[in-house]
Amino acid sequence: MRALGIHYRLGCPRKSMPGLTVLVVGGGGREHALCLGLADSPSIGSIHSAPGNAGTSMVGVNHTVSTSDIEELISLAAELDADLVVVGPEVPLVNGLADSLRTAGIACFGPHAEGAMLEGSKLHAKRVMQELGIPTGGCLVVEEAGAIEAALDSFKPPWVVKRDVLAAGKGVTVTADRQEAHDALTAGLSSDGFVLLEEHLSGEEASVLVVMDESGYVCLPPSQDHKRVGEGDTGPNTGGMGAYAPAPVVTPAVLQRVVDEIVEPMHHHLRNKDIPYRGCLYVGLMIDSQGAPGVIEFNVRFGDPETQVTIPLISSDLAELLLACAEGRVSDTKVEFYSHSAATVVLASEGYPASSATGRIISGSEVEIEEGEIRGFVHYAGTNFDSEGNLISSGGRVLSATGTAPEISGAVSAAYEVIGGIELEGSHYRSDIAYRAL
């Protein structure tokens, strides 16, 4: 069953263009989710990944090019005669990959370097929000050790300490322990020269991924990530231990406020830049008890693992949507969604997030579930094949088991049924993904 999703400034759907060659940059679960979504697109001819992982190699061709090698990525896109490059991670965007691709005449889904600074610099993002009147927490810039105590006195605990660098989703300390906050501020000063101390926003977290260009935008189904490594959101922050969508906390009324108070002002701001923003604007939210949204952070790409639960809910042609955005014509594209829920549970390697045991054999991940409208399958992340063809772990977040179903409970059950059959020595996963929705 399909239900028409929320979309804005819609025009007539563009005629499909069969045979598109797409290069996906990155090698995580997000990129495998994008490749699977693209593989279902009628307009796709071939899919390539750089560097990719075990999962992307099953739906396309992997190329051993690092995400940090801008020149080689451009050469690869040109060699493939790519119609579209989809950039997964933030670092190459901050380093100007999208700028260079567009200079070479290659369509890129992902913002230019200036737009990517919304994630590259938390201070820059905060100043943009303050300038536009977008709801967010207060912020102080701490530039010397002697100012730490006064800064801590400026906000009530818990304190939020943020490094103004790209830190793979782990550059934030949230704590009610004054000494821990002091230590985080000191460490940030030592490593970066300055550090941000922010007001803590209370409520329930959620994320809205917005596909945006100068012509318009499309909000994908709101999701909720589980950042902490332990049950009940305890322990250290990770890149994400699971997610689900749609998140019930983002009611239609809340989503309308997100659009009115955050997305619209950001779109107006970004569309009027000399070079327009073309890509995904990830809006990290805190929803308070009154349903008022505040922005915790902006990212400039699809989230991981949020992508794993939003892409499977898109029923229309994903390649058409991403190409339209890369070419500045989102307003001409009709986007539809399944009226289903999705949940994903991350399987992490032994030691994660402090360390990652790699090179261990994975078994049982090939099992898929399909029972009526319920599906269960695997998104591969830190995986590869050894010389004997065995599937092995190669990173901290190894894979995630994803379920889709008409109701969130069925999606969660399918995800856990899949992950329960996977064997990887020392691995661990959370058993309470989507507990707030359930």
Side-chain angles (χ1 to χ4, degrees):
M1 179 178 178
R2 295 187 180 189
L4 191 65
I6 296 174
H7 40 267
Y8 305 87
R9 308 176 188 272
L10 291 181
C12 297
R14 190 167 187 251
K15 189 175 180 180
S16 180
M17 300 191 309
L20 293 174
T21 298
V22 179
L23 170 62
V24 177
V25 175
R30 163 184 52 216
E31 287 75 32
H32 186 215
L34 287 165
C35 286
L36 287 177
L38 290 167
D40 285 338
S41 297
S43 54
I44 281 292
S46 62
I47 300 169
H48 299 261
S49 299
N53 59 38
T56 62
S57 72
M58 299 175 196
V59 291
V61 180
N62 285 356
H63 301 266
T64 55
V65 177
S66 168
T67 59
S68 63
D69 195 334
I70 303 298
E71 289 188 6
E72 280 300 310
L73 288 170
I74 296 164
S75 296
L76 175 61
E79 179 185 331
L80 295 171
D81 195 19
D83 299 292
L84 173 66
V85 176
V86 179
V87 185
E90 64 276 14
V91 174
L93 292 170
V94 171
N95 290 340
L97 176 58
D99 310 63
S100 297
L101 285 167
R102 289 174 185 136
T103 298
I106 301 169
C108 177
F109 180 88
H112 56 301
E114 181 186 346
M117 288 308 293
L118 286 170
E119 182 169 359
S121 169
K122 294 176 176 61
L123 179 57
H124 168 69
K126 186 67 72 171
R127 286 173 173 166
V128 169
M129 286 186 269
Q130 291 170 342
E131 175 189 340
L132 300 179
I134 290 173
T136 187
C139 175
L140 289 173
V141 181
V142 180
E143 298 180 286
E144 55 185 33
I148 289 178
E149 289 299 329
L152 290 170
D153 289 338
S154 299
F155 296 123
K156 295 179 181 179
W159 294 278
V160 181
V161 181
K162 291 184 178 181
R163 296 180 61 202
D164 194 48
V165 296
L166 293 174
K170 298 186 281 288
V172 179
T173 300
V174 181
T175 180
D177 184 305
R178 190 180 181 97
Q179 187 59 51
E180 185 179 358
H182 192 288
D183 291 346
L185 287 163
T186 301
L189 281 173
S190 175
S191 61
D192 309 322
F194 71 96
V195 65
L196 308 186
L197 181 67
E198 292 191 9
E199 175 187 7
H200 180 264
L201 300 179
S202 60
E204 190 170 338
E205 288 191 46
S207 305
V208 176
L209 307 181
V210 186
V211 176
M212 179 182 291
D213 66 15
E214 64 267 37
S215 75
Y217 56 85
V218 178
C219 293
L220 304 186
S223 57
Q224 187 172 85
D225 183 16
H226 297 263
K227 283 289 187 188
R228 303 279 184 167
V229 72
E231 313 290 313
D233 297 321
T234 57
N237 265 341
T238 70
M241 293 299 292
Y244 64 98
V249 67
V250 185
T251 64
V254 169
L255 182 58
Q256 191 59 56
R257 290 193 64 173
V258 171
V259 169
D260 293 343
E261 300 173 23
I262 300 165
V263 179
E264 271 287 347
M266 284 301 295
H267 180 248
H268 181 76
H269 170 73
L270 293 171
R271 72 176 296 186
N272 287 306
K273 291 290 187 180
D274 291 339
I275 305 175
Y277 189 102
R278 295 178 179 177
C280 178
L281 182 67
Y282 170 119
V283 185
L285 298 164
M286 186 69 77
I287 313 298
D288 72 14
S289 58
Q290 305 303 310
V295 177
I296 301 172
E297 64 177 354
F298 288 126
N299 293 330
V300 297
R301 35 71 189 184
F302 287 119
D304 188 342
E306 293 92 343
T307 306
Q308 289 89 306
V309 294
T310 51
I311 295 299
L313 299 182
I314 299 174
S315 61
S316 48
D317 191 311
L318 177 63
E320 286 280 356
L321 172 62
L322 302 184
L323 180 62
C325 181
E327 294 179 344
R329 50 181 182 82
V330 156
S331 62
D332 293 335
T333 305
K334 187 175 183 180
V335 185
E336 295 184 339
F337 303 98
Y338 294 107
S339 57
H340 280 44
S341 292
T344 195
V345 182
V346 170
L347 184 75
S349 62
E350 182 177 7
Y352 182 80
S355 61
S356 301
T358 60
R360 294 179 177 176
I361 293 177
I362 304 162
S363 62
S365 65
E366 68 282 355
V367 175
E368 294 188 3
I369 297 169
E370 190 160 355
E371 300 173 358
E373 293 186 90
I374 298 175
R375 286 191 63 215
F377 55 97
V378 167
H379 283 120
Y380 292 93
T383 54
N384 212 328
F385 293 103
D386 65 14
S387 58
E388 298 179 357
N390 297 307
L391 181 67
I392 60 171
S393 61
S394 62
R397 292 187 294 171
V398 177
L399 55 81
S400 62
T402 302
T404 62
E407 305 292 337
I408 187 63
S409 57
V412 171
S413 295
Y416 278 112
E417 185 176 344
V418 171
I419 207 166
I422 298 174
E423 294 184 5
L424 171 62
E425 180 189 350
S427 63
H428 59 97
Y429 60 88
R430 282 181 55 166
S431 62
D432 63 346
I433 299 303
Y435 71 89
R436 290 187 182 90
L438 297 173

